Amino acid sequence: VKHTSRDSSVGSRSGALHATAMSHRCSFGGVVAAAAVACSLIAAPAFAAAAEEVATATAALRGAAGNGSLGEHGNLPATGMQEAVAWQQAGVGCVRIERFDVVNHCPKGIELLGWSRRVAAGETASIEGRRSEDLGRLSWRLQDGPWGYDYIELNGAWTGAGTDLCAHPNYATWFGFSTSSRYEALDPSSGQLSCADAGAEVDFSAASCPAGFGPSSRFACDFRATQDSIRDCASTQALYQEHHTRCISDDGSRASRYSSSLPGEWSGNWANFPCAPESSNWPGYGVGTWIDCTNKRKSVVLKVTLCPAF
């Protein structure tokens, strides 16, 4: 079984830190898959040292200056200056995120946790600066509610553009949702998908929220998750998440699981946890993305699109 991350990571807002007795771990919304991988707490000094290393990493070149307009894949228009940039290689087992772009197609503005940044409806924003909270996730919510955050589980501490992420992201949507979304690792120069398991998307909508569930003050579609309810991969809400999550391969194709013309340890992975791995009917799939990216120590643009058209 393949899992998401090779190193220690922050898996919940409480800051609980887990490490595996093996080389990989998985995280779904802060719940560690104890049945899949044996985990133990790492001493606080080890985390402090790791966090300091991330926070003090040398910022890489950001690319050519321009008017900020984005191409089809979110890349800056090619210029002689940009083509000449030598992108800094990520550390071993890491990906260097040179730029972080958010494209908001939602009918409302969104609040991005950690940067105290709002992205208006219809706006494309390049998110700069460092953050000191929510380091293990990318979390956002719609302005004026619902109040719960949708998120991408990063499975490692990441402070912002120009630093490394030494982990393998995935979705963890078992709480419920308010928006659809997509995340992609793009080549900074060409704007093309950067690796074999370059992204994922969820085409959720309030209109398709499964019967028996619906809006709450927390989510547009609240799954009312409990420790018991997430341990059934055949439940209505688990099947909904499975059928509405797609893996994005290097050729742009979408599928429920990763496949690639260059087989690797990501092949066959899911990009989401529709249920807990300790479920009696868990299918035994690995969960995680960007494994090929980290293996190749890629420098990328992280593009997150909210409420994309499907």
Side-chain angles (χ1 to χ4, degrees):
V1 178
K2 301 182 289 292
H3 302 283
T4 56
S5 300
R6 299 179 184 276
D7 300 312
S8 61
S9 65
V10 179
S12 69
R13 299 202 190 283
S14 66
L17 191 67
H18 300 277
T20 68
M22 301 168 61
S23 62
H24 297 270
R25 76 179 292 278
C26 53
S27 173
F28 48 107
V31 179
V32 173
V37 181
C39 297
S40 61
L41 289 176
I42 291 180
F47 172 65
E52 182 179 359
E53 181 180 355
V54 172
T56 58
T58 302
L61 293 172
R62 297 294 180 83
N67 61 11
S69 61
L70 299 174
E72 179 183 357
H73 294 283
N75 56 304
L76 286 169
T79 66
M81 183 185 297
Q82 186 182 39
E83 290 168 356
V85 167
W87 300 105
Q88 183 170 335
Q89 188 175 38
V92 175
C94 305
V95 62
R96 171 60 57 102
I97 301 177
E98 302 286 355
R99 199 173 73 234
F100 173 32
D101 293 340
V102 175
V103 182
N104 182 19
H105 292 307
C106 299
K108 296 182 179 181
I110 63 98
E111 299 173 359
L112 192 64
L113 185 62
W115 287 272
S116 299
R117 179 73 158 84
R118 295 187 176 186
V119 182
E123 181 185 0
T124 294
S126 187
I127 309 302
E128 299 179 345
R130 300 288 186 267
R131 58 178 180 161
S132 58
E133 64 173 321
D134 199 42
L135 298 183
R137 293 176 173 174
L138 292 177
S139 304
W140 64 90
R141 65 182 177 185
L142 295 169
Q143 288 182 243
D144 304 320
W147 62 264
Y149 285 92
D150 290 339
Y151 62 88
I152 298 161
E153 195 78 68
L154 295 178
N155 296 307
W158 182 64
T159 58
T163 66
D164 286 6
L165 171 66
C166 303
H168 305 140
N170 57 261
Y171 281 110
T173 58
W174 50 275
F175 281 120
F177 63 86
S178 292
T179 68
S180 58
S181 63
R182 175 187 302 131
Y183 69 91
E184 300 164 289
L186 305 177
D187 181 270
S189 296
S190 70
Q192 300 303 306
L193 293 166
S194 190
C195 53
D197 53 344
E201 62 188 16
V202 289
D203 65 340
F204 299 155
S205 70
S208 66
C209 183
F213 304 96
S216 69
S217 61
R218 190 180 185 189
F219 293 111
C221 179
D222 195 332
F223 293 145
R224 301 190 295 277
T226 66
Q227 289 296 322
D228 289 333
S229 70
I230 66 173
R231 286 171 167 79
D232 180 7
C233 297
S235 68
T236 299
Q237 62 271 36
L239 292 175
Y240 177 88
Q241 294 169 79
E242 179 183 348
H243 296 155
H244 288 264
T245 302
R246 288 188 287 270
C247 302
I248 303 174
S249 296
D250 50 359
D251 60 359
S253 62
R254 268 76 165 163
S256 61
R257 297 166 62 195
Y258 281 110
S259 61
S260 177
S261 57
L262 298 173
E265 56 187 303
W266 57 87
S267 297
N269 272 6
W270 269 348
N272 197 356
F273 280 99
C275 51
E278 37 291 56
S279 304
S280 61
N281 51 358
W282 175 261
Y285 302 149
V287 174
T289 68
W290 290 16
I291 297 171
D292 187 39
C293 287
T294 57
N295 286 351
K296 294 176 178 176
R297 302 170 63 183
K298 288 280 191 173
S299 290
V300 304
V301 172
L302 168 56
K303 179 183 177 184
V304 174
T305 305
L306 305 179
C307 303
F310 291 106

